[in-house]
Amino acid sequence: MPVAPYDLVDLGEPQGSHSLSRGRHARPRRPILYIVTLTIVGLLGIVLVAGRFGLWGVRALSVESGSMEPAIRRYSVVLTIPVDTPAIGSVITYEHPLDPEILITHRVVGYEGEGDDLRLVTKGDANNAPDGEPVRREAVVGQVRMVIPWLGLIVDIARSEIGFIVLIIIPATIIVHNEILRLRDLLAERRREKKGRISGRNG
């Protein structure tokens, strides 16, 4: 059962008191579970948008294979940023040469050619040999700047229809509902305070 996050607690009450105060010095308090849920829903939303469309050039992509273990484990999420010419030793995400919809995250281990014909030789850390075909610079989606372990597992679930409803739609609806109730109570409290001041002056 969700806990309403809009109860106002008087900080001047003695410890152990459970009475509620609607006074001027009361502060709204949100339960930790509510804050954690809000954080997770927000993070998942950002990752899904950044994975699909990108945010200011940043892409958030889930890793579905173990070719980069142990540096990047399966089900991690990598954050990439655009880069012109990745340095040797850096980890990049690039489009598969036969299917641009497939993205691969491997390490740059060398160069071939130069100038406009420069290509990147890549290799998965867990693989025994470099990838079969060097990568064109225009096929590079970005260079990996951050790795978040295990988040990819949750993201993969959220991408399904049922997972999106359970992990995004339902929690977001509860959060919005509670915020509306909280705002309603705060506005009602201000109206009561205003009426109290007016009554005090008239008295």
Side-chain angles (χ1 to χ4, degrees):
M1 177 179 180
V3 180
Y6 41 84
D7 287 338
L8 304 182
V9 180
D10 189 345
L11 299 182
E13 287 288 333
Q15 289 186 354
S17 173
H18 298 286
S19 61
L20 298 180
S21 171
R22 299 290 179 177
R24 182 171 51 187
H25 301 293
R27 297 181 182 178
R29 300 182 64 183
R30 294 179 174 87
I32 294 178
L33 180 60
Y34 176 84
I35 296 174
V36 171
T37 302
L38 178 61
T39 302
I40 292 175
V41 171
L43 181 60
L44 279 175
I46 292 173
V47 169
L48 288 173
V49 172
R52 183 68 176 174
F53 306 104
L55 291 174
W56 303 287
V58 178
R59 296 285 301 272
L61 306 164
S62 57
V63 177
E64 299 179 355
S65 76
S67 63
M68 279 298 296
E69 292 185 349
I72 304 176
R73 297 193 177 277
R74 189 180 182 188
Y75 299 126
S76 296
V77 165
V78 296
L79 302 182
T80 70
I81 62 172
V83 63
D84 183 26
T85 303
I88 293 177
S90 62
V91 179
I92 63 171
T93 297
Y94 60 91
E95 299 171 350
H96 191 284
L98 300 180
D99 186 354
E101 294 295 321
I102 299 176
L103 300 179
I104 301 172
T105 298
H106 279 174
R107 193 179 302 277
V108 178
V109 295
Y111 299 137
E112 281 190 8
E114 57 184 16
D116 294 339
D117 294 328
L118 181 68
R119 294 177 179 244
L120 311 173
V121 180
T122 56
K123 174 182 176 295
D125 289 358
N127 295 343
N128 296 324
D131 300 333
E133 184 175 338
V135 179
R136 296 173 291 106
R137 281 191 297 181
E138 54 268 31
V140 176
V141 173
Q143 180 174 327
V144 174
R145 288 297 190 183
M146 182 180 293
V147 179
I148 308 175
W150 299 113
L151 182 59
L153 185 60
I154 302 176
V155 171
D156 287 345
I157 296 174
R159 283 183 179 141
S160 67
E161 184 175 343
I162 296 179
F164 187 77
I165 293 173
V166 173
L167 295 179
I168 302 294
I169 299 298
I170 293 177
T173 302
I174 294 173
I175 289 170
V176 170
H177 176 261
N178 282 349
E179 286 300 311
I180 292 174
L181 293 179
R182 176 177 174 271
L183 179 61
R184 181 201 63 186
D185 281 6
L186 289 175
L187 293 176
E189 174 63 23
R190 290 186 178 182
R191 286 195 295 268
R192 285 193 294 268
E193 289 180 356
K194 185 177 180 179
K195 288 182 180 178
R197 287 194 298 268
I198 294 174
S199 299
R201 286 196 298 267
N202 293 337

